[in-house]
Amino acid sequence: MTTADDSPVPNYPELLRLDDRGFVVVGAGQGNGRQTVHALASVGARVLCVDIDRGLAEEVAAEVDGFACAADATNTADVERLLAQAQQQLGRVHGICDIVGMARWAALVDMPEEDWDWNFDMVLRHAFLLTKHGARLMAADGGGCISFVASVSGVSSSPFHGGYGAAKAGLLSLVRTAAVELATANVRVNAVVPGGIATPRLAKAHGIDLDQATDGALRSPARTSDIAAALLFLSSDLARHVTGHALTVDGGDLVQSPYPITAPLVEPGEALGVSRDGETASVVPA
């Protein structure tokens, strides 16, 4: 307390705790999903690990003394079943972290229609189903949070990302709309927006050494634990007033200018000016 401010100071580490809260992680079997399971469990959450591969779900669940469920999150009956299992085993579902997402790359003029539809199912359909059924369940119990993994492909453009990028943009729109619609039910909805991630699947496909690829520099690919850390924040009471938000975790890639710019160091009392041709930089008196 000071003479200017007598507002209470919360116990910030406690706001990160999720003791005895029930969370469902969909796509838990590897990569971002497995790390998210560990992140939530490390602060006391009880976790249902959902994956389309039962063996992977069981292995990850065993690591954190959690529960396992094999389900296809693009299937309505499976989503209803996994949420029913979550209620039975966790008692109450306080949050959902949906990690599911894959892509089929092709130029728009060459993309088969079935690949377009597949991208939207793999990126967006499960998000709709988990929001529809999961939010209703959480609203009835007083609220909760839903967090998704989107992509910078949903806010930027790259060749061959047409289907995937359009679906990820749709996911971000869904997050904003759901946040508005569910606010009165005390259900928060957010997304993490990664750039490049050195996941085990991609590392295997491209022969990448994960230790070398993720050396910690901002310009290196993200570790899967970086994405899990962001999801942990959004799932905790530290983010109690955060909803409808897209949290970018890309090492600064989106804010980097695409144009190479070099300029001399500016001394005190001077300002940086740009010549009329826009090609060269010069120092002028401040």
Side-chain angles (χ1 to χ4, degrees):
M1 182 182 299
T2 69
T3 55
D5 185 353
D6 63 355
S7 59
V9 177
N11 184 329
Y12 289 101
E14 283 298 314
L15 293 178
L16 189 62
R17 298 293 308 178
L18 299 172
D19 296 291
D20 297 322
R21 298 189 195 182
F23 277 80
V24 178
V25 178
V26 184
Q30 59 181 305
N32 297 322
R34 175 175 173 263
Q35 291 292 339
T36 300
V37 168
H38 277 269
L40 296 170
S42 73
V43 291
R46 303 169 69 235
V47 186
L48 176 66
C49 305
V50 182
D51 200 275
I52 198 167
D53 185 317
R54 178 179 296 278
L56 291 178
E58 290 175 346
E59 289 175 2
V60 174
E63 289 185 307
V64 298
D65 195 24
F67 304 96
C69 175
D72 177 358
T74 67
N75 179 279
T76 301
D78 275 18
V79 168
E80 292 175 333
R81 175 174 58 81
L82 76 86
L83 290 171
Q85 179 178 337
Q87 275 192 303
Q88 180 183 16
Q89 294 180 319
L90 302 176
R92 174 185 167 186
V93 176
H94 293 83
I96 297 171
C97 291
D98 180 5
I99 318 293
V100 176
M102 292 177 67
R104 289 181 179 173
W105 315 111
L108 286 169
V109 296
D110 298 324
M111 181 177 292
E113 290 184 21
E114 56 268 27
D115 282 4
W116 177 269
D117 293 339
W118 185 92
N119 275 309
F120 273 77
D121 280 350
M122 189 56 63
V123 170
L124 197 52
R125 178 175 171 80
H126 53 86
F128 161 65
L129 293 176
L130 287 164
T131 300
K132 176 179 180 177
H133 299 285
R136 185 177 296 161
L137 184 154
M138 285 186 279
D141 284 335
C145 60
I146 307 175
S147 301
F148 296 100
V149 175
S151 169
V152 295
S153 292
V155 293
S156 63
S157 300
S158 298
F160 313 117
H161 282 58
Y164 179 72
K168 287 293 188 180
L171 175 57
L172 291 170
S173 179
L174 181 149
V175 165
R176 294 190 295 269
T177 301
V180 171
E181 292 184 353
L182 298 171
T184 56
N186 198 34
V187 176
R188 298 185 297 106
V189 187
N190 294 289
V192 175
V193 182
I197 313 170
T199 65
R201 181 188 292 121
L202 289 178
K204 182 177 180 180
H206 299 286
I208 298 171
D209 184 318
L210 288 180
D211 291 333
Q212 292 182 356
T214 58
D215 62 5
L218 284 176
R219 292 302 174 202
S220 70
R223 298 184 176 110
T224 51
S225 57
D226 295 324
I227 311 308
L231 288 167
L232 174 59
F233 163 70
L234 292 173
S235 300
S236 75
D237 288 343
L238 285 171
R240 70 170 193 84
H241 213 56
V242 179
T243 193
H245 183 65
L247 176 56
T248 304
V249 183
D250 70 342
D253 286 344
L254 282 181
V255 298
Q256 170 104 359
S257 170
Y259 307 109
I261 297 176
T262 59
L265 293 175
V266 178
E267 299 295 334
E270 296 176 327
L272 188 64
V274 179
S275 66
R276 289 181 181 272
D277 62 12
E279 297 281 338
T280 59
S282 60
V283 176
V284 298

